[in-house]
Amino acid sequence: VYRCPNSKFQVSSVKKKTMELIDQHTKKIMEGCKERALNAGLRFENETLESIVTNRDLIELTPKVMFPTLYDYWVHDVEVLKEKGRYELYPSNPYETVINTRPAISFYNDNNPDWMNVMIFYHVLGHVDFFQNNFYFRNTWDYDFSGRALSDKRMIAGLRSEKGRWVDYIIEFSRSIDNLVGYYHELSTIDPLPGADGSERLNYYFDVFLQSGDKLKISDYIKEIERYNTCMRTDGESGEKTFFSEINKIYPEFEARYRKSRKETDGRKLDLLQYLIENSDFLAKEENRWMKTVIEAIRSTSVFLQPQIRTKIMNEGWASYWHEKLFLQDDRIGGHEVDFARTHAGVTSLPRVGLNPYALGMRLFYYIEELGDKGKYSIEFRRLTDTDQRRHYDAGNGQGREFIFKIRETLSDFTFVNTFVDQEFTDQNKLFVAGKRLNRDRMVWEYYVKSRKANDYRKMLLDSLYHPPHIEIDRSRGEDNTLYMVHHFEGKPLVRDFIANTMIGIEYLWGSPVQLETSEVIPSAAAPAAVGATQEGEAPKDLKWERVVYTSKNKELTREVIGKQG
């Protein structure tokens, strides 16, 4: 969120909505920004909506992830009160925010000058381009989420008038597990990516159909691949259609078997919310079926918002890269270069301790662009061991801009950081992992440089990324209709403080006892020593783990140790 000094204009009350579309003067400025952004290579739908809002409006929108049409919920009201108190102590003006819907909607503070709106709108266009072209957002490309959210809001409001506080109980129970939605499974069921090699039908033909039974020898299998490639070369986009028209003549049973395979695989990887909706006897009762519509609304909202939290560094870095590039080339902002420099530095400066996704993401895109321009993202460059040769290497490919557009399309924060945060990038930007220790002489905590190694810095970044627990349903375990959940341990335990309430909520939605198998640290006599530690962030190296099972039955939670972690 951008911040600037306090507004000299009077801020309206929270209860009095002042959101309105921007005036024609500002709209004309922004249309000029669109033209320049498109000429630079960004791709986005031309229709956008821009609204002027006050600081208080933004305080109300923030808990709803900036979607004005999102359903009402008591937690949102608590967040509004918290933000109001914070604003009274530290008043500030957020410059803008943009939400991913059709058309894209952005909000602007009511006292921004024209030069600032130019900078901000370039940032917004960077976000919109990312929303509409990054493959991790492809589950959001085909519908207007703002309209769907409005429909959900009206549905929930109608149920509240009929069911009362029970609606909020269902929302609360569902939201306690809405981070467990099967986001990647959802992506895998969508049509193939633009430019991807082959469709699901093609994969089934070569990977399953041809390899079942004794249909083809290896030589014939290779001939089939060549026949497919010939069809694609000859007929272009319709090549696959031509290929399968011949397949259906040779194997009339192919389509029927393909459709059957789709039905067999559908529903195999249900996430927890989906499993409850489809298999809970409690929710299947006539008087409880309304709960399914509420749970599905919570789930679909979570799935829609998943790509944003998984691409935070990339998304903000991409938008910051473009607002700098395009603003400095814009001939309409002469005389405001210093204003821009001051504002831009406040947004994209690298902190010595902590993480600024704007700053890190933007510098990574500049670094990647340089790699592409100089041909450094190549085997030849990676084979060089001489420091001086690596520093002066320049193959002169000049493909950096094309390279970062490809990166913008295909990566998430995890692959982005894991691929490009190397030692040269770390050294170039003087990055390090900071530690914290107690100075006993002065009795103060002090920060120190713990490591300048790229591996350590990259690990710190990866550890900070969003990574919900991996929990699956084991249908073969659990007696008397007990729901048995298995936490696939990945080195991080669940937060024990949240287990009780979450399990009780799941038990209510399931209508029978529920069990959760997970891993926890074996208590030891040495554990209390950590209280007096003089160095923070140092994980004990001799931790031992055990598998435990939590059982929630009749709203009572019990814990049982079932063995040591292997």
Side-chain angles (χ1 to χ4, degrees):
V1 174
Y2 293 114
R3 300 193 180 280
C4 62
N6 298 342
S7 168
K8 63 181 179 181
F9 297 100
Q10 183 177 359
V11 178
S12 63
S13 168
V14 171
K15 296 181 180 179
K16 184 179 179 181
K17 291 291 182 184
T18 58
M19 282 184 281
E20 57 184 23
L21 294 178
I22 59 174
D23 57 35
Q24 290 302 305
H25 167 73
T26 308
K27 185 67 174 177
K28 183 178 179 181
I29 292 174
M30 293 183 174
E31 290 301 311
C33 293
K34 283 185 185 179
E35 182 179 346
R36 289 165 172 80
L38 290 169
N39 290 337
L42 298 183
R43 302 198 315 270
F44 46 82
E45 294 177 358
N46 190 50
E47 293 78 15
T48 59
L49 290 175
E50 297 82 31
S51 294
I52 296 295
V53 294
T54 66
N55 295 9
R56 299 302 180 104
D57 294 326
L58 290 174
I59 288 174
E60 283 203 333
L61 285 171
T62 300
K64 293 188 173 187
V65 204
M66 307 313 299
F67 281 95
T69 56
L70 199 66
Y71 60 86
D72 298 311
Y73 179 50
W74 70 268
V75 171
H76 297 159
D77 298 331
V78 173
E79 289 295 315
V80 168
L81 292 174
K82 184 176 73 175
E83 290 300 319
K84 279 180 62 181
R86 182 180 299 172
Y87 180 78
E88 295 297 333
L89 291 173
Y90 308 105
S92 58
N93 287 357
Y95 291 174
E96 57 78 29
T97 189
V98 56
I99 60 175
N100 175 31
T101 186
R102 295 292 190 278
I105 303 174
S106 49
F107 303 99
Y108 301 81
N109 197 272
D110 59 355
N111 63 317
N112 292 341
D114 287 347
W115 72 265
M116 188 176 292
N117 277 333
V118 171
M119 169 187 166
I120 292 170
F121 196 58
Y122 282 138
H123 190 91
V124 165
L125 291 177
H127 280 310
V128 176
D129 171 86
F130 196 91
F131 291 149
Q132 297 181 4
N133 293 284
N134 181 271
F135 291 153
Y136 285 82
F137 284 84
R138 66 185 185 273
N139 65 311
T140 74
W141 289 347
D142 298 329
Y143 66 94
D144 172 23
F145 179 75
S146 185
R148 178 179 292 189
L150 179 60
S151 175
D152 292 340
K153 179 176 182 176
R154 290 169 175 168
M155 176 269 294
I156 289 175
L159 287 173
R160 274 202 184 98
S161 65
E162 180 183 349
K163 307 295 182 181
R165 68 181 185 277
W166 291 103
V167 176
D168 286 280
Y169 289 150
I170 302 305
I171 294 175
E172 187 151 356
F173 295 156
S174 302
R175 283 183 48 149
S176 68
I177 53 176
D178 70 348
N179 62 324
L180 304 179
V181 293
Y183 165 69
Y184 286 107
H185 180 60
E186 289 286 328
L187 284 187
S188 70
T189 61
I190 300 174
D191 290 337
L193 302 175
D197 295 330
S199 64
E200 189 173 342
R201 177 180 278 99
L202 187 68
N203 292 335
Y204 175 78
Y205 176 70
F206 281 107
D207 297 343
V208 179
F209 185 78
L210 285 182
Q211 298 185 45
S212 60
D214 299 321
K215 288 185 174 59
L216 289 179
K217 299 177 181 178
I218 294 179
S219 58
D220 293 329
Y221 186 89
I222 295 174
K223 289 179 181 178
E224 279 296 278
I225 295 176
E226 180 56 34
R227 190 167 69 82
Y228 168 75
N229 291 334
T230 301
C231 289
M232 295 301 293
R233 286 193 294 266
T234 304
D235 298 337
E237 293 182 0
S238 61
E240 190 170 314
K241 185 177 180 180
T242 303
F243 177 73
F244 277 110
S245 65
E246 294 296 322
I247 294 299
N248 291 327
K249 294 177 183 178
I250 302 172
Y251 303 113
E253 75 277 17
F254 171 75
E255 281 298 323
R257 290 188 53 182
Y258 170 67
R259 287 194 296 269
K260 183 181 179 181
S261 74
R262 291 291 301 274
K263 291 180 180 179
E264 289 175 350
T265 55
D266 283 347
R268 277 187 178 176
K269 294 184 179 179
L270 298 179
D271 60 47
L272 182 53
L273 285 173
Q274 285 176 309
Y275 191 87
L276 292 171
I277 291 172
E278 296 189 16
N279 296 281
S280 169
D281 294 336
F282 174 75
L283 296 178
K285 294 179 180 179
E286 181 67 30
E287 64 271 22
N288 296 332
R289 288 181 183 174
W290 63 269
M291 298 179 184
K292 292 186 179 183
T293 60
V294 177
I295 297 172
E296 181 54 44
I298 304 301
R299 182 184 178 278
S300 63
T301 300
S302 177
V303 171
F304 185 90
L305 297 174
Q306 285 288 313
Q308 292 186 210
I309 196 171
R310 296 175 189 273
T311 58
K312 179 71 173 178
I313 296 173
M314 283 191 72
N315 203 336
E316 296 297 358
W318 183 252
S320 300
Y321 170 93
W322 283 107
H323 86 231
E324 181 180 65
K325 283 277 186 182
L326 295 174
F327 185 92
L328 294 177
Q329 297 172 7
D330 197 312
D331 55 357
R332 300 171 297 174
I333 51 85
H336 292 286
E337 291 84 356
V338 175
D339 297 322
F340 167 79
R342 183 183 299 112
T343 305
H344 178 66
V347 174
T348 61
S349 59
L350 273 172
R352 306 312 293 164
V353 178
L355 171 64
N356 179 352
Y358 298 79
L360 180 66
M362 184 188 74
R363 283 165 176 79
L364 269 170
F365 275 114
Y366 275 116
Y367 177 66
I368 295 167
E369 185 177 24
E370 181 186 5
L371 293 181
D373 281 337
K374 296 184 177 181
K376 289 186 175 182
Y377 196 68
S378 62
I379 295 176
E380 291 78 8
F381 177 74
R382 291 176 180 272
R383 284 175 177 170
L384 293 178
T385 57
D386 184 270
T387 303
D388 191 60
Q389 288 182 343
R390 292 176 68 89
R391 184 184 300 114
H392 295 96
Y393 184 91
D394 189 350
N397 293 341
Q399 297 178 347
R401 184 65 61 87
E402 180 183 345
F403 190 25
I404 62 172
F405 272 105
K406 194 65 177 177
I407 296 300
R408 176 269 270 137
E409 269 189 359
T410 55
L411 301 189
S412 66
D413 279 350
F414 176 83
T415 47
F416 188 58
V417 168
N418 205 40
T419 305
F420 294 106
V421 175
D422 55 22
Q423 194 62 54
E424 291 196 25
F425 174 77
T426 306
D427 293 341
Q428 187 179 104
N429 292 279
K430 300 179 181 178
L431 301 174
F432 59 84
V433 178
K436 187 180 179 182
R437 62 193 173 198
L438 180 64
N439 185 324
R440 290 190 177 278
D441 295 332
R442 301 173 57 191
M443 290 307 295
V444 295
W445 287 98
E446 59 185 17
Y447 292 95
Y448 67 98
V449 177
K450 186 176 179 181
S451 173
R452 295 185 184 274
K453 295 179 180 178
N455 288 341
D456 294 333
Y457 188 80
R458 183 168 55 248
K459 183 179 183 303
M460 180 192 73
L461 294 177
L462 294 177
D463 288 344
S464 72
L465 298 182
Y466 176 75
H467 186 72
H470 179 199
I471 294 178
E472 290 185 333
I473 308 298
D474 189 340
R475 304 186 190 195
S476 65
R477 304 169 74 175
E479 301 177 355
D480 299 327
N481 199 34
T482 296
L483 179 68
Y484 198 94
M485 299 172 289
V486 178
H487 172 214
H488 295 273
F489 186 61
E490 299 172 282
K492 292 185 178 180
L494 300 176
V495 181
R496 293 185 65 172
D497 292 345
F498 298 156
I499 291 177
N501 288 338
T502 303
M503 291 283 285
I504 291 173
I506 299 172
E507 180 193 357
Y508 179 82
L509 297 177
W510 181 244
S512 295
V514 297
Q515 293 183 298
L516 170 67
E517 180 182 325
T518 184
S519 296
E520 292 182 346
V521 175
I522 298 176
S524 65
V531 176
T534 59
Q535 194 151 303
E536 195 175 69
E538 294 289 345
K541 297 180 181 180
D542 57 347
L543 287 180
K544 296 180 180 179
W545 301 86
E546 61 187 3
R547 291 297 281 181
V548 302
V549 172
Y550 285 94
T551 302
S552 180
K553 184 176 182 180
N554 298 325
K555 295 189 291 187
E556 292 186 3
L557 190 71
T558 59
R559 177 181 181 273
E560 178 187 2
V561 178
I562 60 174
K564 291 185 178 181
Q565 176 76 38

